[in-house]
Amino acid sequence: LAKTTQPISMDSYEGQEVNITCSHNNIATNDYITWYQQFPSQGPRFIIQGYKTKVTNEVASLFIPADRKSSTLSLPRVSLSDTAVYYCLVERGGSQGNLIFGKGTKLSVKP
Amino acid sequence: KAGVTQTPRYLIKTRGQQVTLSCSPISGHRSVSWYQQTPGQGLQFLFEYFSETQRNKGNFPGRFSGRQFSNSRSEMNVSTLELGDSALYLCASSFASGSPKNSYEQYFGPGTRLTVT
């Protein structure tokens, strides 16, 4: 599975849009890009998943360029409660439940 | 719809003992995965069960084992506990059927915090 690289930490202020970019140079044809959010002492929570172009749901958008070697998670108008660790993962289609988590990006939202 | 439940939530054991953790997946989910999370190593995959069969296994010693029952509930066992086994153990369930054309999101439970003294 493709290794992912993302910033260790990011700071933002309430109300701002936050973009977290992840690189996955060796992504394969049947790989999906997935983002999870984790609060301290809780299990990760699925945010969004995409294969190519743009995906949007009620909490975030995911932008994936044509070469799929990177992706950007966009969180609109963050609040203090968005302070968490965000993980970018590359999942093989039909993956057998073995998510490979990296270090993640620790997002700190300040008032 | 009830989420993934894990019991117990907290556990304290002594070195050399063994421990069994339980996970009840979301109704209808047949895939259950286990992960270990520590400050030093982060989130690491232990193993995954689907329809009572272990489909995939991470790089952990044989002291870590698991099983899945016909109702998809799963248990994880760690024998001969070591101090380094202190961690948050997370269970995740998924509808994943293994079809290569799809990738299914995993739903994580709250975890079991195991402390080995």
Side-chain angles (χ1 to χ4, degrees):
Chain A
L1 284 171
K3 180 182 176 183
T4 60
T5 303
Q6 54 184 122
I8 296 294
S9 64
M10 290 183 70
D11 291 332
S12 183
Y13 291 93
E14 280 192 293
Q16 289 188 330
E17 177 185 75
V18 171
N19 295 309
I20 306 175
T21 297
C22 175
S23 65
H24 26 78
N25 291 319
N26 297 321
I27 192 167
T29 302
N30 56 341
D31 287 344
Y32 292 76
I33 299 149
T34 310
W35 287 79
Y36 280 80
Q37 173 194 56
Q38 186 178 27
F39 298 110
S41 298
Q42 293 186 28
R45 183 176 74 103
F46 173 90
I47 301 175
I48 197 166
Q49 182 182 83
Y51 184 79
K52 60 181 178 181
T53 63
K54 177 183 174 182
V55 179
T56 298
N57 62 22
E58 62 276 8
V59 298
S61 295
L62 179 60
F63 299 91
I64 306 169
D67 66 6
R68 305 202 323 126
K69 292 183 183 297
S70 67
S71 60
T72 299
L73 174 73
S74 181
L75 305 172
R77 295 183 300 281
V78 294
S79 64
L80 296 176
S81 62
D82 292 317
T83 294
V85 177
Y86 293 82
Y87 295 96
C88 165
L89 295 87
V90 170
E91 273 191 84
R92 182 64 43 84
S95 65
Q96 297 173 349
N98 55 330
L99 297 180
I100 308 299
F101 287 85
K103 299 294 185 185
T105 296
K106 182 173 172 53
L107 173 65
S108 298
V109 180
K110 302 173 183 178
Chain B
K1 203 176 198 182
V4 176
T5 58
Q6 292 187 245
T7 56
R9 292 292 313 279
Y10 302 92
L11 203 51
I12 300 175
K13 288 287 189 178
T14 305
R15 260 188 316 178
Q17 288 186 314
Q18 67 100 24
V19 67
T20 299
L21 311 181
S22 180
C23 172
S24 292
I26 291 173
S27 178
H29 286 187
R30 294 163 63 189
S31 169
V32 174
S33 299
W34 288 89
Y35 297 83
Q36 180 197 66
Q37 185 169 30
T38 60
Q41 298 299 319
L43 267 160
Q44 293 186 287
F45 170 76
L46 280 156
F47 30 66
E48 187 245 3
Y49 286 85
F50 183 83
S51 294
E52 302 179 66
T53 300
Q54 187 181 89
R55 282 201 303 192
N56 212 338
K57 190 177 188 302
N59 189 26
F60 277 80
R63 299 186 297 107
F64 292 81
S65 63
R67 59 177 175 168
Q68 186 181 35
F69 302 94
S70 58
N71 61 358
S72 293
R73 190 177 70 84
S74 177
E75 287 182 347
M76 190 193 95
N77 185 278
V78 187
S79 62
T80 319
L81 284 165
E82 300 177 359
L83 296 179
D85 296 334
S86 294
L88 180 67
Y89 289 89
L90 293 159
C91 164
S93 77
S94 165
F95 189 69
S97 64
S99 167
K101 294 185 178 181
N102 296 293
S103 184
Y104 297 93
E105 67 180 272
Q106 293 197 17
Y107 294 82
F108 284 80
T112 294
R113 172 74 63 185
L114 172 65
T115 302
V116 182
T117 62

